[in-house]
């Protein structure tokens, strides 16, 4: 029997790597030493991406430089009272990119999940030498942030870091949202980052204005709205190729080769529901499983909308957390490991 384990993280609890390790241990106890179990931790470009890709490429000479937005301007890095997407900046992300270029790296992959920002990547660009001019013709010297977007009247690219033109950028994410509008960065994602309704309107106006100043007023390419608009900044100014995060990581693993002779695939996340069907990691795994005609089992911390998930094609759907367990207890890492192990040791796997 050959089993592929491809978990995303249980957010705020266990990383994808930790989950896959716990799952592998449980399955080896169940099926014995002859079972072939491949552990492939997954990410959509958010938290954990860099750890996973560094692991895949460890020791290889063709490894690009992986930079995770969540590490440099991530929401999880901030206490609740500092979560305000109108003032948080992507400037630290730009500094990380600048350091990579200064050290000679010319292939950079930026993961666009988990950001605390809504500045269309202007802070990042500022750290890379781009200058933003206000309506009075004055240089905006403060780190760019969402609240300053409406002030931008012109962009000076003459001081951009020289190495940028020689660097190939790739942006990976799971968000197809446009930059602004009802489905854009501010309206959909800023409330999750601490924005009030009035702030959402202000941020959306700023994104719309900045798109016009940047010369792409529609700003509707898939991924433009990712990470508070960092996707737009990377695509428009750094000519980044946009790739879905799950697809990028599966390609790095050689997932399609590995799955050809597999007996089954096990994937999961902290909570699976209808939003899972909108491009989250388990859906990417499911697509490849269906293409290879290998059954895919969904084993998540919690599950809603079972019927919709079943209709999508998951062979089995399992919630590992007992229904009467308090959420605080379920999020304890040791408890989560135990719940996952219990489920994998007892659920039907045929």
């Amino acid at each position: 029997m050959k089993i592929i384990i491809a978990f995303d993280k249980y957010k705020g609890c266990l990383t994808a790597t930790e989950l896959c390790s716990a799952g592998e241990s449980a399955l080896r106890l169940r099926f014995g030493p002859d079972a072939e179990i491949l552990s492939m931790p997954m990410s959509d470009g958010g938290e954990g991406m860099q750890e996973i890709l560094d692991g895949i490429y460890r020791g290889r000479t063709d490894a690009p430089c992986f930079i995770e937005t969540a590490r440099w301007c991530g929401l999880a890095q901030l206490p609740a009272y500092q979560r305000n997407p109108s003032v948080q900046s992507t400037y630290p992300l730009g500094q990380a990119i600048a350091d990579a270029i200064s050290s000679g790296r010319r292939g950079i992959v930026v993961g666009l999940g988990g950001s605390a920002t809504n500045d269309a990547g202007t802070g990042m660009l500022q750290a890379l030498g781009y200058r933003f001019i206000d309506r009075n013709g004055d240089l905006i010297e403060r780190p760019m942030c969402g609240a300053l977007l409406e002030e931008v009247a012109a962009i000076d690219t003459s001081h951009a870091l020289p190495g940028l033109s020689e660097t190939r950028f790739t942006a990976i994410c799971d968000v197809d949202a446009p930059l602004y509008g009802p489905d854009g960065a501010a309206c959909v994602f800023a409330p999750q980052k601490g924005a009030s309704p009035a702030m959402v309107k202000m941020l959306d106006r700023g994104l719309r204005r900045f798109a016009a100043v940047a010369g792409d007023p529609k700003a509707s390419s898939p991924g433009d709205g990712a990470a508070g608009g960092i996707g737009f900044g990377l695509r428009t100014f750094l000519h980044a190729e946009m790739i879905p995060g799950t697809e990028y990581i599966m390609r790095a693993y050689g997932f399609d080769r590995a799955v050809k002779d597999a007996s089954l695939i096990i994937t999961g996340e902290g909570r699976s529901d209808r939003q899972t069907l909108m491009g989250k990691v388990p859906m990417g795994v499911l697509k490849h499983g269906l293409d290879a005609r290998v059954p895919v089992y969904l084993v998540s911390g919690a599950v809603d909308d079972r019927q919709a998930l079943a209709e999508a094609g998951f062979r089995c759907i399992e919630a590992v957390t007992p229904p009467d367990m308090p959420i605080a207890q379920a999020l304890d890492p040791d408890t989560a490991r135990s719940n996952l192990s219990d489920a994998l040791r007892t659920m039907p796997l045929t």
Side-chain angles (χ1 to χ4, degrees):
M1 174 177 281
K2 178 179 179 180
I3 302 173
I4 294 177
I5 308 172
F7 283 111
D8 194 3
K9 63 189 173 295
Y10 283 8
K11 192 169 185 178
C13 179
L14 292 172
T15 67
T17 301
E18 290 169 336
L19 282 165
C20 286
S21 177
E24 182 177 349
S25 296
L27 292 173
R28 291 198 182 282
L29 285 173
R30 178 170 179 172
F31 293 106
D34 294 333
E36 184 179 0
I37 301 170
L38 297 183
S39 181
M40 296 184 172
M42 300 297 296
S43 171
D44 56 12
E47 298 95 333
M49 178 214 79
Q50 186 171 339
E51 175 190 16
I52 290 168
L53 286 169
D54 282 343
I56 294 172
Y57 279 89
R58 185 171 292 119
R60 289 169 52 174
T61 59
D62 63 338
C65 176
F66 300 109
I67 297 177
E68 187 178 298
T69 295
R71 290 191 177 189
W72 296 98
C73 49
L75 189 65
Q77 308 292 330
L78 299 174
Y81 71 89
Q82 288 185 357
R83 295 181 178 182
N84 180 337
S86 71
V87 300
Q88 295 297 330
S89 175
T90 56
Y91 195 91
L93 173 64
Q95 291 177 307
I97 294 172
D99 287 345
I101 292 173
S102 296
S103 67
R105 307 303 293 269
R106 291 299 181 265
I108 296 177
V109 177
V110 183
L112 298 184
S115 79
T117 57
N118 200 100
D119 69 0
T122 52
M124 169 191 73
L125 294 168
Q126 201 175 34
L128 294 172
Y130 288 79
R131 297 185 175 188
F132 299 95
I133 312 301
D134 67 19
R135 301 180 190 189
N136 297 319
D138 296 326
L139 176 68
I140 299 175
E141 297 188 11
R142 291 178 290 163
M144 285 297 300
C145 60
L148 294 176
L149 289 178
E150 285 192 278
E151 298 183 22
V152 177
I155 304 167
D156 176 6
T157 65
S158 63
H159 295 83
L161 199 66
L164 285 174
S165 61
E166 305 164 6
T167 304
R168 181 174 182 267
F169 286 91
T170 303
I172 66 175
C173 67
D174 69 338
V175 172
D176 288 339
L179 182 63
Y180 60 81
D183 299 320
C187 293
V188 176
F189 301 106
Q192 303 168 18
K193 304 175 183 183
S196 65
M199 187 187 299
V200 167
K201 292 180 180 179
M202 178 269 292
L203 292 170
D204 192 62
R205 289 194 308 270
L207 293 170
R208 185 184 299 268
R209 174 175 177 79
F210 181 70
V213 174
D216 186 1
K218 291 187 177 180
S220 58
S221 293
D224 275 357
I230 298 174
F232 177 81
L234 282 166
R235 178 184 67 80
T236 304
F237 295 93
L238 305 182
H239 312 293
E241 179 185 9
M242 307 292 287
I243 301 178
T246 306
E247 289 297 320
Y248 186 95
I249 290 177
M250 294 177 86
R251 193 183 307 169
Y253 276 125
F255 190 91
D256 287 340
R257 293 192 302 273
V259 79
K260 284 182 178 179
D261 59 344
S263 304
L264 62 92
I265 303 166
I266 300 174
T267 187
E269 59 192 338
R271 172 177 291 275
S272 292
D273 51 30
R274 287 185 181 274
Q275 291 189 30
T276 299
L277 306 179
M278 300 169 65
K280 289 191 175 182
V281 164
M283 278 303 293
V285 175
L286 176 64
K287 177 183 180 299
H288 286 257
L290 292 175
D291 288 346
R293 298 184 178 180
V294 176
V296 180
Y297 287 47
L298 181 65
V299 183
S300 295
V303 173
D304 288 323
D305 304 311
R306 284 178 178 270
Q307 184 63 33
L309 293 167
E311 290 174 355
F314 291 105
R315 176 72 62 87
C316 179
I317 301 165
E318 185 83 6
V320 306
T321 305
D324 58 346
M325 180 174 284
I327 185 64
Q329 182 180 355
L331 289 174
D332 173 74
D334 289 336
T335 301
R337 286 191 188 92
S338 178
N339 288 340
L340 176 64
S341 297
D342 289 345
L344 292 178
R345 287 199 302 265
T346 59
M347 65 183 288
L349 294 174
T350 57

